Amino acid sequence: MPLHRLLRLSPTAVLGLWHRTETAAALGALLPAGAGAAYAALLPAAGPERQAQWLAGRVLAHAVAAALWPGAPAPLVQNDATGRPYLAGPGRPAGAVVSLSHSGAWAAALLTAGGRAGVDVEVVRDKARRIAPKFLSAAELAAAQAGPADDAHYTLLWSAKETLYKLAARRGLIFKQQLLLEPLPEPFAAAPAGEIPAALHLAEGQTRHRVCYSQPAAGYVLTYCWESEVPAFIH
């Protein structure tokens, strides 16, 4: 059972990482008793690799929930109409929040007892660098291009904005205008872990955040952000 790590971020938040080596069938056998049939009905109609990634996220979410709420009935991870995961069932504590991500052989899950949460794990590749003008603001792009930024650095920037997007928990945000990294971190190779100051610019006003980042393994980037309460808007 390759549960890589459970990290207690606070008394009300736990982050989990899973290094997947199992097949979809093996992962299904790791689900809590009674949950297998419910997840079988929700399993995406995709190939075995995609199904294994999906199930790894659910198995991990249950491991994180057990660490955060020991002894409580296992909640069911479902998705709303926009695809965002949420906890359901009698085992769901009031106000609980879940954020999931998977890429390649890794899955990440962040659960909190309330507030907001976002997590993202990404395989390092050249895609983020190629599409950087689409998700970085002009100032962010200029800062990235001024330094020795490589594929890992651009993947980190993309992942940080994905985490902010999940934290905001709303559709239709423009990454290069409303999800801003201020200032950009140093090149990722020189700083394998740290925090990025960030801001959400929404119609109601602005909120400030700190996105944590690290490398769970060579060739991967992990970012996450959580809040026990929704912060007040700055106008």
Side-chain angles (χ1 to χ4, degrees):
M1 175 177 171
L3 175 61
H4 178 72
R5 188 180 186 189
L6 288 176
L7 177 63
R8 183 168 287 275
L9 304 175
S10 77
T12 59
V14 174
L15 170 70
L17 290 173
W18 187 281
H19 183 216
R20 179 178 55 85
T21 59
E22 306 91 341
T23 64
L27 286 162
L30 296 177
L31 291 168
Y39 284 122
L42 301 172
L43 194 65
E49 175 70 10
R50 174 69 180 86
Q51 291 183 340
Q53 289 178 329
W54 189 90
L55 285 167
R58 272 69 190 166
V59 171
L60 176 59
H62 284 286
V64 176
L68 189 55
W69 303 295
L76 187 69
V77 181
Q78 295 188 327
N79 294 84
D80 64 18
T82 69
R84 186 181 302 118
Y86 67 94
L87 299 177
R92 174 191 179 274
V97 176
V98 58
S99 183
L100 300 177
S101 181
H102 54 73
S103 185
W106 285 85
L110 176 54
L111 274 69
T112 71
R116 300 192 295 184
V119 67
D120 186 67
V121 63
E122 298 282 347
V123 174
V124 172
R125 48 183 177 166
D126 66 350
K127 180 180 179 180
R129 177 173 51 81
R130 289 188 285 105
I131 67 170
K134 295 184 178 181
F135 71 89
L136 293 179
S137 70
E140 291 169 340
L141 185 60
Q145 292 175 337
D150 56 10
D151 289 345
H153 190 69
Y154 281 102
T155 302
L156 167 63
L157 304 182
W158 168 257
S159 182
K161 293 208 172 190
E162 276 285 303
T163 282
L164 275 178
Y165 183 75
K166 293 179 180 180
L167 187 81
R170 64 181 69 188
R171 305 286 286 182
L173 297 181
I174 302 173
F175 277 40
K176 63 192 299 180
Q177 295 178 8
Q178 296 177 276
L179 313 175
L180 301 182
L181 309 177
E182 306 167 339
L184 288 183
E186 295 297 318
F188 195 38
E195 295 182 350
I196 306 172
L200 280 171
H201 294 263
L202 307 176
E204 308 94 303
Q206 174 185 323
T207 54
R208 304 290 303 180
H209 312 274
R210 301 193 71 82
V211 178
C212 301
Y213 66 90
S214 64
Q215 294 171 301
Y220 285 84
V221 168
L222 170 73
T223 62
Y224 57 93
C225 185
W226 82 100
E227 298 161 347
S228 57
E229 297 180 358
V230 177
F233 289 103
I234 302 171
H235 297 280

